[in-house]
Amino acid sequence: MTTHNDKTLSMESRLTLSDKHTMPQLGLGTWRSEPEKVQNIVRDAILHCGYRLIDAAWVYQNEDEVGNGIHEAIEQSQGKIKREDIFVTTKLWNQHHTTEDVEWALRDSLKKLRLDYVDLFLIHWPVAFKNMTENLWSQNEDGKTRYFAENVTLVDTWKAMEKLVDLKLTRSIGVSNFSPSEIDEILKIARIKPSVNQIELHPYFNQHELREYCAHHNITITSYCPLSNLKRENERAEDVSALYNAVIQEIAQSKHKTTAQIIIRWHLQHGLSVIPKTVTQERLIENSGVFDFALSDHEMLEIDHLTQTNRRRFVNPPFRPADKPIFDD
Ligand SMILES: NC(=O)c1ccc[n+]([C@@H]2O[C@H](COP(=O)([O-])OP(=O)(O)OC[C@H]3O[C@@H](n4cnc5c(N)ncnc54)[C@H](OP(=O)(O)O)[C@@H]3O)[C@@H](O)[C@H]2O)c1
């Protein structure tokens, strides 16, 4: 496992993708960021805190406001920050996997974001729902049946994604929540290989095997749910999130840092890109305060080992037929 524990990491650190474009390592997530809050936080992230990677998605239903935040930052920077300085990711929703819908979906995201291109367009999930327009989950009214676009394969969708690069609507293309066998399907036919796999990854789910697979195929990983801070109903964050883990707390105390900062630093030292989400000003600053200290090899290993004792996947939606969860584990 590669670790980067020297002091060269910075807010400007970027990873080189397989297509030679580069991607900032630290970014801001926007899932569940309320439309009325996300505009200001995106603006402040770019304008005041040095964030250069914004992670969006069509299905988050806040791309208009994310776009407003990006444009406000560019305008208020008075020429210091340009569009090309910012790396914008967005994602293809499950309803839009057919050849025609793939292009429609990116054009719709671009319209909302008010951009000519995004830097990275990802297939959000390896599953194709029937396009039922406003009904994002493609379920019947009582929520008991989900409708799938049965004749659409991942290969069809990938070929449509490649065309978007030709059309210059996106610079890079990639996947999200894909397993090795799903990526293999694409690699067999790919003219442009997936540059990124965005996956759940945190100290309680370190994805060791999938990381090895992606490294072998030169696929960069973005860690989502990086703070493992997604409790279910009736759960307390203190009981489920690595933010409250005793090992991480001890490391944090010894370095006068917060546990969130220790976890974000752990992602960065593993050479991952990482997109913690917040709509809170103080946390925006806190989450970027991760470049004035380093974790030792021993501390990295201590955090790596937490998956053995506290293993937990937080995001596993019922997206397979018969409402089966998307992942088997
Ligand atoms: N590809 C996919 O399928 C997928 C799935 C999930 C997520 N994502 C992407 O990944 C991003 C991050 O994942 P996530 O939003 O699930 O989880 P996360 O970033 O691990 O956690 C976000 C939660 O932690 C809180 N938080 C942020 N900074 C904190 C800090 N320093 N101390 C304590 N709490 C803090 C936030 O609250 P406040 O906002 O109230 O501050 C929010 O409740 C998403 O926003 C999205 O862009 C992608």
Side-chain angles (χ1 to χ4, degrees), residues 128-222:
F129 292 172
K130 189 171 172 208
N131 189 343
M132 293 168 69
T133 56
E134 300 295 300
N135 178 349
L136 301 183
W137 309 101
S138 304
Q139 285 174 305
N140 68 356
E141 274 174 17
D142 62 14
K144 287 205 173 121
T145 307
R146 195 186 300 281
Y147 300 95
F148 293 86
E150 274 154 16
N151 298 325
V152 186
T153 66
L154 292 177
V155 165
D156 298 332
T157 306
W158 190 253
K159 287 185 176 160
M161 296 283 286
E162 289 176 329
K163 191 177 155 216
L164 302 177
V165 179
D166 301 337
L167 291 170
K168 299 194 182 338
L169 298 176
T170 182
R171 297 220 161 138
S172 301
I173 48 177
V175 295
S176 175
N177 297 300
F178 272 48
S179 65
S181 62
E182 287 155 345
I183 297 175
D184 283 343
E185 255 183 79
I186 288 180
L187 288 177
K188 273 189 214 138
I189 56 89
R191 178 165 61 84
I192 304 171
K193 291 185 178 162
S195 56
V196 168
N197 191 12
Q198 184 179 122
I199 53 173
E200 176 173 345
L201 199 161
H202 46 75
Y204 287 171
F205 205 73
N206 71 27
Q207 296 267 27
H208 182 72
E209 285 169 22
L210 189 47
R211 266 194 288 156
E212 300 240 301
Y213 170 91
C214 287
H216 180 72
H217 291 281
N218 197 11
I219 296 171
T220 296
I221 289 182
T222 299

Side-chain angles (χ1 to χ4, degrees), residues 27-34 37 41 54-57 59-60 89 91 93 122-125 175-177 197-202 222-230 241 243-244 258-261 263-264 267 274-288 314-315 317 319 327:
L28 177 69
T30 63
W31 180 36
R32 297 185 174 177
S33 298
E34 300 85 341
K37 294 185 183 164
I41 210 82
I54 305 295
D55 185 78
V59 77
Y60 300 164
T89 303
K91 312 185 193 89
W93 184 234
L122 303 175
I123 302 180
H124 205 148
W125 293 94
V175 295
S176 175
N177 297 300
N197 191 12
Q198 184 179 122
I199 53 173
E200 176 173 345
L201 199 161
H202 46 75
T222 299
S223 305
Y224 80 62
C225 201
L227 303 174
S228 62
N229 195 16
L230 200 68
S241 169
L243 286 170
Y244 301 89
T258 66
T259 52
Q261 289 171 323
I263 294 173
I264 293 166
H267 288 275
V274 56
I275 48 171
K277 170 264 178 187
T278 185
V279 288
T280 315
Q281 279 289 341
E282 299 73 42
R283 289 174 172 171
L284 189 68
I285 296 165
E286 176 185 336
N287 294 350
S288 60
F314 287 78
V315 182
F319 284 170
F327 303 109

